[in-house]
Amino acid sequence: ENCTIYIANPPSNVPIIMTSSVINCHSMNVSWLHYESNADEISVEKFMIDVEPPPEDGSCKGGTCNTTNDFYILTELKYNVSYSIGVKAINCAGNGNYSNKEIKVLSVDPPSNVPIIMTSSVINCHSVNVSWLYYESNDDEISVEKFMIDVEPPPEDGSCKGG
């Protein structure tokens, strides 16, 4: 009787980090491509992401996260900090090599548009209702988290400290 024995090897091609996009001031989406080197290579079971410094939410214990997808959303990152990110493929035979580690800085530009004051109406002798419209400049702009209202002179009740 003839018997064929197949020996599996770890993935030979390293993932290529293609994009990283900022989701908000504390989250980033990292995605990559991975090409199997030939038809005989055992399929990738998951990917390991190495992140230094590790996110603060504990999702990447020791700086390592795992996923079966070709992307990973890193959360609880610090704003304006550089992160070294590498990805490697894993199959039943073991770990492939890490991609070249890339430095990604989580930074966000301030909103580029100015709110347009549309209406202000007196509610009573001590209150005014102010409403406005705000248009984000493009789809790539991060959503506004809050608006700051400057009132001069400041209300006497202290609700707008310093104006």
Side-chain angles (χ1 to χ4, degrees):
E1 262 181 67
N2 289 336
C3 180
T4 304
I5 298 175
Y6 292 98
I7 299 174
N9 292 314
S12 56
N13 285 346
V14 297
I16 302 166
I17 296 178
M18 296 300 292
T19 61
S20 65
S21 57
V22 175
I23 297 171
N24 60 39
C25 291
H26 303 287
S27 302
M28 180 187 315
N29 182 20
V30 179
S31 59
W32 55 88
L33 290 176
H34 180 262
Y35 299 102
E36 310 245 340
S37 62
N38 60 52
D40 294 335
E41 186 166 282
I42 303 297
S43 295
V44 170
E45 293 177 351
K46 65 182 177 180
F47 295 95
M48 183 180 290
I49 302 100
D50 182 61
V51 183
E52 291 299 329
E56 294 189 344
D57 65 355
S59 62
C60 298
K61 295 193 184 340
T64 302
C65 317
N66 293 302
T67 183
T68 56
N69 298 316
D70 58 357
F71 68 92
Y72 194 83
I73 296 175
L74 298 166
T75 59
E76 294 301 318
L77 302 175
K78 289 183 180 177
Y79 176 75
N80 218 16
V81 169
S82 297
Y83 289 89
S84 171
I85 302 170
V87 180
K88 68 179 171 181
I90 299 172
N91 67 14
C92 64
N95 297 340
N97 293 320
Y98 272 112
S99 63
N100 290 333
K101 294 206 176 174
E102 296 191 19
I103 303 297
K104 304 290 183 182
V105 178
L106 183 66
S107 62
V108 177
D109 293 328
S112 56
N113 286 344
V114 176
I116 304 166
I117 294 180
M118 296 299 291
T119 61
S120 63
S121 56
V122 176
I123 296 172
N124 58 40
C125 291
H126 303 287
S127 302
V128 175
N129 181 32
V130 179
S131 61
W132 58 88
L133 289 177
Y134 178 78
Y135 299 101
E136 294 186 3
S137 62
N138 60 50
D139 291 337
D140 293 334
E141 188 168 292
I142 303 301
S143 296
V144 173
E145 292 181 357
K146 63 184 174 181
F147 291 95
M148 188 176 213
I149 301 169
D150 187 31
V151 179
E152 290 296 335
E156 293 178 3
D157 68 357
S159 60
C160 295
K161 293 182 176 127

